[in-house]
Amino acid sequence: MKLLVLSVTSLLASHFVFANQTIEGNYVLTTDNVHNGVIESGSTQEVTLLGDKSHFMAHTSAQFLSGKTAQGGNIIDFKLSNKVPSNTQYFLGNVDAQGTYSGTWFAANGSKGDWTLTALQPNTVTSCRDILDAGLSQGDGVYEISTYAGEKLSVYCDMTRDGGGWTLVGSYPRLQPGGIHRIEEYGDTPETDPNNVTKLWLYKGDLSVFSDAKEQVSCSTTNCTDGYSVYGLNFTARELELVRYNWGASDRVEKMPKNSDKPSCTTSLEPGATVYEGCVGTAYLGGNVADSTVGWQGDILAPYCWVARGTYKPHSSGSAICSYGKEPNGSQWALLWMR
């Protein structure tokens, strides 16, 4: 195995390697001599990359490499030359969500084949935000992420609304009866269709990979256009945990006995948007202003407006309608997003 020393930064952007848009370290370049889209009996050499995405290069006593990337690091092209005898291979390819480049190489003498460039310590994406920041988004849909524990999850990513990069981390189906006391009662299979929710589930992994939260309740249309949405930005992991605990009636009471114990929220992402302490209206906190903010499973007009409904209406199905005097009737669902 030959060692080729290179410097490359900013080819990708994942939670660990992508976070500061650098990939410095050891990689394996694998090539074969059959151009069919599959590596067959390939030869490998270890490479260590330095530089930036607009131009990276490296050389040893035997070889020289120079190239660039385009489209935010999605597309790569480089050439690898032997100094003696003179011979140059030209490489062109793209990157996948795990940070592995692959493509086709060819040379002036007519030889050609396939190649991959893989990190010896693979890049890991732990949220939809990682994928978006890496420039790897293919629009709204299902993507694979990894938890800190190494578990692979196929989750739904909203890459287009509210700035994009939102991971669906919780869902409450319209036909699910109330009476959910603890977040541990939720299932472990992710919901992958936010517009036709059939799975009762919550992401139970480490929330430190996220910093923002969005909750949508009383949804019955595509993108929850008829429901209520609230937002929390730049939250600590503990604040995000409290948001998640609101999805269990007993957890909610034990962790946040007062409404002011809940994290604050806004009802929009517009600059200067009003911040609601405890994510409820001021009158509900003891003030004099009659507000009707719905969020983190609470509403001044209907204080029982959370999806699980606790013991209050254990036989009412789905998300609360969040309108005074109207009980869940199996027509609404709720969603929890983080990024």
Side-chain angles (χ1 to χ4, degrees):
M1 179 184 294
K2 295 178 288 185
L3 178 64
L4 177 65
V5 179
L6 278 159
S7 295
V8 150
T9 46
S10 245
L11 290 178
L12 301 171
S14 74
H15 180 72
F16 300 110
V17 180
F18 294 4
N20 53 9
Q21 295 189 339
T22 183
I23 53 167
E24 297 185 1
N26 296 323
Y27 293 77
V28 173
L29 176 64
T30 303
T31 60
D32 69 10
N33 293 288
V34 179
H35 180 208
N36 61 359
V38 180
I39 296 291
E40 295 182 352
S41 302
S43 62
T44 63
Q45 62 189 86
E46 187 174 326
V47 299
T48 305
L49 306 178
L50 293 182
D52 62 53
K53 65 183 179 182
S54 62
H55 181 220
F56 56 90
M57 57 160 309
H59 66 88
T60 68
S61 59
Q63 292 183 302
F64 179 86
L65 187 149
S66 178
K68 65 183 183 299
T69 68
Q71 295 184 8
N74 278 336
I75 306 299
I76 188 172
D77 73 87
F78 61 93
K79 60 183 180 181
L80 177 62
S81 301
N82 294 326
K83 295 180 178 179
V84 180
S86 178
N87 181 53
T88 300
Q89 292 172 281
Y90 298 88
F91 295 76
L92 179 65
N94 58 10
V95 69
D96 64 21
Q98 280 65 53
T100 297
Y101 280 101
S102 62
T104 302
W105 69 268
F106 62 93
N109 63 9
S111 59
K112 59 186 176 181
D114 303 301
W115 63 272
T116 61
L117 184 64
T118 306
L120 289 178
Q121 185 174 5
N123 300 316
T124 302
V125 292
T126 55
S127 71
C128 299
R129 180 67 172 269
D130 287 345
I131 298 169
L132 183 66
D133 287 348
L136 303 177
S137 169
Q138 300 297 313
D140 300 344
V142 179
Y143 296 77
E144 185 177 87
I145 65 171
S146 298
T147 67
Y148 270 167
E151 179 187 5
K152 299 292 186 182
L153 287 178
S154 293
V155 297
Y156 187 87
C157 297
D158 187 332
M159 298 297 199
T160 57
R161 279 165 285 279
D162 294 324
W166 294 96
T167 304
L168 183 60
V169 298
S171 59
Y172 199 95
R174 60 186 179 86
L175 297 179
Q176 174 66 38
I180 305 298
H181 285 266
R182 307 288 182 185
I183 62 173
E184 288 79 10
E185 296 176 37
Y186 285 81
D188 297 319
T189 302
E191 174 59 68
T192 55
D193 185 353
N195 300 313
N196 183 28
V197 175
T198 60
K199 295 181 177 68
L200 177 76
W201 98 285
L202 272 178
Y203 175 84
K204 301 182 182 70
D206 189 334
L207 296 182
S208 62
V209 301
F210 305 109
S211 61
D212 303 334
K214 174 171 68 172
E215 183 185 75
Q216 295 180 299
V217 297
S218 198
C219 306
S220 65
T221 59
T222 300
N223 301 326
C224 194
T225 54
D226 64 333
Y228 299 85
S229 299
V230 294
Y231 307 86
L233 303 181
N234 301 314
F235 276 5
T236 65
R238 176 56 180 167
E239 288 173 317
L240 292 173
E241 287 175 356
L242 291 177
V243 170
R244 183 169 59 183
Y245 277 129
N246 274 285
W247 280 49
S250 296
D251 283 331
R252 181 176 186 245
V253 172
E254 291 177 11
K255 306 289 184 181
M256 293 150 283
K258 297 182 296 184
N259 283 297
S260 56
D261 294 332
K262 297 191 297 179
S264 297
C265 71
T266 62
T267 55
S268 82
L269 291 176
E270 294 297 322
T274 300
V275 176
Y276 293 90
E277 181 187 356
C279 204
V280 294
T282 53
Y284 200 39
L285 288 169
N288 296 316
V289 179
D291 214 330
S292 57
T293 303
V294 177
W296 312 149
Q297 306 307 317
D299 173 19
I300 181 176
L301 295 181
Y304 46 82
C305 185
W306 67 79
V307 294
R309 301 294 280 119
T311 58
Y312 184 76
K313 285 289 183 180
H315 302 295
S316 295
S317 299
S319 172
I321 298 177
C322 296
S323 179
Y324 188 78
K326 293 184 179 180
E327 297 297 341
N329 60 8
S331 64
Q332 323 288 114
W333 60 85
L335 304 167
L336 182 62
W337 307 82
M338 292 187 184
R339 71 173 178 186

